[in-house]
């Protein structure tokens, strides 16, 4: 461990998350800037050869080379760790790169992962496809059935991987229960906290060992950059992940780190406001005669409503999905045309599969994000042709209701 450390911001004892979201980072430079500086530099200069040697030998903690150390990136890492309630955080170039870094740092050929079958599609491809080629096997299990996770454990299981709520059906898993079975089996629990962000859900408080973030979504919050991060104990970050970052280089650019750093300042108020709008929109959709079903954890009709309210500070989050009525009567092609009509009649929502933006986005999962699945796979996952996902932004909710009414109110009965 280094003897000389990079200084920390000094705070009164026990400042709260909203203060940390705005203030945690690094002390200002001698120039006294109030907004955090953007250090666009690939390397750092040492005062003399002996100091350079001490820094390269890790006897002195200092900035050396932006592939693994940069002040702007460190500010983002410290701030996100403070919000997640973990000792440390390491930034990565994307959410997928954070997962790559985690598996490279923790596992080896012969190890086994248990993962929810409802996680982000690229996560399924990375764990079940790419890593299988390197001898790491993954068993995919039900999102909500803890007994199925338990049954999937093997003596070589090292990692349980969960994501909650899921995209697009907002299924919620019990983080504390999964942490219990992971730890009893001597494995780690990783939680992809993309959908709630630390503003609504702190998996480390429920026993998760590793928290994955796509900074691309709510952390930036305005759809500008691709970014990722992995939060964990200092022992894991320093011992397992920094060495991989140093040699593998899935580094976050300082510019993108700066955008996310500033996004974190407004994260909590955005999440609360977007979640409140999503609840209003979901409540309106649920009573619409052309809507068969609404998936939203904030509704009492959601199968894991109580768990979600307990786990997510009483908020449903900003993503909801709904099924347009008519598959039973008209078949999948008929209801697909109805869903396309609803999407095409919108004048405000952006038609894009991205989420986590202040701009509301609308998408038809079965022909976009889940388009590569076969029809039976889609049916098994519940991604039917009538399903529409909305990631609610910060527009006036009455305008969003009117935007969806344009299509829903003009469907043939
Ligand atoms: C988008 C997303 C990712 C991947 O993040 P990128 O920044 O796009 O690499 C991972 N998990 C979830 C839940 C996501 O929504």
């Amino acid at each position: 461990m280094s003897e000389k450390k990079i200084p920390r911001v000094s705070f009164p004892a026990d400042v709260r998350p909203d203060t940390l979201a705005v203030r945690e980072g690094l002390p200002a430079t001698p120039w006294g800037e109030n907004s955090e500086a953007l250090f666009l530099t690939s390397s750092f200069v040492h005062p003399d050869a002996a100091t350079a040697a001490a820094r390269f030998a890790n006897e002195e903690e200092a900035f050396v080379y932006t592939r693994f150390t940069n002040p702007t990136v460190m500010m983002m890492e410290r701030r996100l760790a403070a919000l997640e309630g973990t000792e440390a955080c390491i930034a990565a170039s994307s959410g997928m790169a954070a997962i790559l870094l985690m598996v490279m740092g923790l596992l080896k050929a012969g190890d086994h992962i248990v993962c929810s079958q409802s996680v982000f599609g690229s996560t399924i491809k990375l764990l079940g496809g790419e890593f299988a080629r390197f001898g790491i096997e993954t068993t995919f299990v039900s999102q909500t059935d803890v007994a199925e996770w338990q049954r999937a454990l093997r003596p070589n299981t090292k990692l349980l991987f969960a994501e909650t709520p899921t995209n697009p059906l907002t299924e919620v898993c019990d983080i504390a229960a999964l942490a219990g079975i992971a730890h009893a089996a001597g494995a780690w629990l990783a939680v992809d906290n993309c959908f709630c962000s630390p503003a609504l859900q702190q998996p480390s408080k429920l026993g998760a060992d590793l928290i994955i973030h796509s900074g691309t979504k709510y952390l930036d919050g305005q759809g500008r950059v691709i970014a990722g991060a992995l939060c964990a104990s200092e022992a894991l970050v320093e011992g397992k992940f920094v060495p991989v970052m140093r040699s593998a280089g899935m580094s976050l650019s300082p510019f993108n780190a700066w955008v996310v750093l500033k996004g974190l300042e407004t994260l909590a108020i955005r999440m609360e406001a977007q979640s409140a709008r999503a609840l209003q929109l979901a409540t309106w959709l649920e009573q619409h005669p052309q809507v068969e079903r609404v998936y939203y954890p904030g509704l009492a009709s959601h199968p894991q409503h109580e768990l979600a309210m307990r786990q997510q500070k009483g908020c449903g989050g900003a993503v909801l999905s709904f099924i347009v009525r008519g598959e039973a009567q008209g078949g999948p092609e008929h209801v697909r045309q109805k869903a396309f009509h609803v999407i095409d009649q919108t004048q405000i929502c952006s038609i894009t599969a991205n989420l986590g933006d202040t701009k509301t986005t609308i998408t038809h999962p079965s022909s976009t994000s889940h388009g590569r699945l076969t029809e039976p796979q889609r049916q098994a996952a519940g991604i039917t042709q009538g399903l529409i996902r909305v990631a609610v932004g910060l527009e006036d909710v009455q305008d969003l209701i009117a935007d969806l009414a344009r299509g829903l109110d003009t469907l043939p009965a």
Side-chain angles (χ1 to χ4, degrees):
M1 263 288 93
S2 17
E3 285 151 23
K4 212 167 156 195
K5 289 283 206 180
I6 293 168
R8 303 205 62 103
V9 182
S10 59
F11 293 117
D14 299 331
V15 292
R16 295 165 181 82
D18 285 352
T19 304
L20 293 168
V22 176
R23 296 281 174 177
E24 180 59 293
L26 282 168
T29 72
W31 303 116
E33 70 280 359
N34 192 35
S35 175
E36 293 77 359
L38 170 49
F39 290 90
L40 282 182
T41 177
S42 44
S43 76
F44 296 82
V45 176
H46 313 288
D48 49 57
T51 307
R55 290 173 178 178
F56 273 81
N58 250 348
E59 288 156 16
E60 178 180 334
E61 191 186 37
F63 299 105
V64 174
Y65 188 58
T66 288
R67 187 181 339 108
F68 49 94
T69 44
N70 177 281
T72 308
V73 177
M74 182 179 272
M75 286 190 271
M76 191 217 99
E77 291 168 339
R78 287 184 172 183
R79 192 170 285 182
L80 185 56
L83 295 181
E84 282 290 2
T86 57
E87 288 170 358
C89 168
I90 182 165
S93 54
S94 68
M96 294 319 301
I99 300 175
L100 175 72
L101 171 64
M102 176 179 71
V103 177
M104 284 183 74
L106 292 181
L107 305 189
K108 60 180 189 317
D111 288 342
H112 176 244
I113 303 172
V114 180
C115 180
S116 162
Q117 66 197 7
S118 310
V119 297
F120 189 63
S122 298
T123 306
I124 291 183
K125 298 252 177 213
L126 179 63
L127 300 181
E130 309 305 337
F131 276 113
R133 292 190 293 119
F134 295 91
I136 296 170
E137 213 187 318
T138 301
T139 305
F140 294 97
V141 295
S142 153
Q143 168 81 355
T144 52
D145 183 354
V146 180
E148 205 181 317
W149 291 73
Q150 181 80 54
R151 282 196 302 277
L153 295 175
R154 299 179 191 167
N156 59 338
T157 304
K158 294 283 166 58
L159 181 70
L160 275 62
F161 190 103
E163 177 189 316
T164 180
T166 57
N167 179 26
L169 296 180
T170 71
E171 288 178 298
V172 176
C173 67
D174 188 332
I175 297 173
L178 294 181
I181 67 167
H183 297 159
W188 290 287
L189 174 66
V191 174
D192 184 331
N193 201 23
C194 175
F195 268 53
C196 277
S197 89
L200 302 186
Q201 174 171 280
Q202 283 173 301
S204 71
K205 298 271 161 68
L206 301 165
D209 306 286
L210 302 126
I211 294 103
I212 294 286
H213 271 291
S214 168
T216 315
K217 313 292 168 48
Y218 293 101
L219 305 188
D220 165 17
Q222 290 159 78
R224 299 166 293 194
V225 299
I226 302 287
L230 173 53
C231 298
S233 67
E234 191 164 348
L236 283 180
V237 170
E238 295 298 329
K240 304 278 189 192
F241 305 131
V242 169
V244 174
M245 180 61 72
R246 214 168 158 142
S247 44
M250 57 289 266
S251 330
L252 182 61
S253 110
F255 179 81
N256 290 2
W258 184 83
V259 171
V260 173
L261 175 72
K262 301 307 282 179
L264 288 175
E265 297 182 2
T266 54
L267 176 67
I269 56 172
R270 281 187 282 107
M271 290 309 294
E272 282 164 28
Q274 289 175 234
S275 188
R277 283 162 174 73
L279 177 59
Q280 277 179 276
L281 191 60
T283 305
W284 176 80
L285 282 165
E286 201 166 44
Q287 54 73 52
H288 196 285
Q290 286 286 358
V291 173
E292 188 169 301
R293 177 163 178 196
V294 181
Y295 298 87
Y296 183 64
L299 292 175
S301 58
H302 189 280
Q304 297 99 36
H305 174 65
E306 267 148 45
L307 170 63
M309 293 300 98
R310 225 172 35 240
Q311 205 162 258
Q312 303 173 195
K313 299 191 183 159
C315 289
V319 178
L320 62 89
S321 291
F322 63 97
I323 299 179
V324 177
R325 202 175 283 286
E327 173 147 13
Q329 303 88 322
E333 184 51 34
H334 167 73
V335 80
R336 176 188 170 103
Q337 290 311 321
K338 290 179 82 169
F340 276 23
H341 173 82
V342 173
I343 293 170
D344 290 343
Q345 289 303 305
T346 61
Q347 295 173 12
I348 295 169
C349 295
S350 308
I351 304 174
T352 168
N354 195 25
L355 64 102
D357 202 312
T358 49
K359 294 182 169 67
T360 298
T361 64
I362 189 163
T363 186
H364 182 247
S366 67
S367 61
T368 59
S369 53
H370 295 69
R372 285 184 291 175
L373 300 182
T374 62
E375 190 57 34
Q377 282 175 325
R378 266 198 298 272
Q379 290 293 338
I383 316 292
T384 57
Q385 294 295 336
L387 186 74
I388 294 175
R389 191 203 72 195
V390 180
V392 181
L394 279 180
E395 298 95 339
D396 190 307
V397 70
Q398 295 308 328
D399 292 333
L400 296 176
I401 288 173
D403 214 33
L404 291 177
R406 266 184 266 283
L408 285 169
D409 291 349
T410 53
L411 284 169

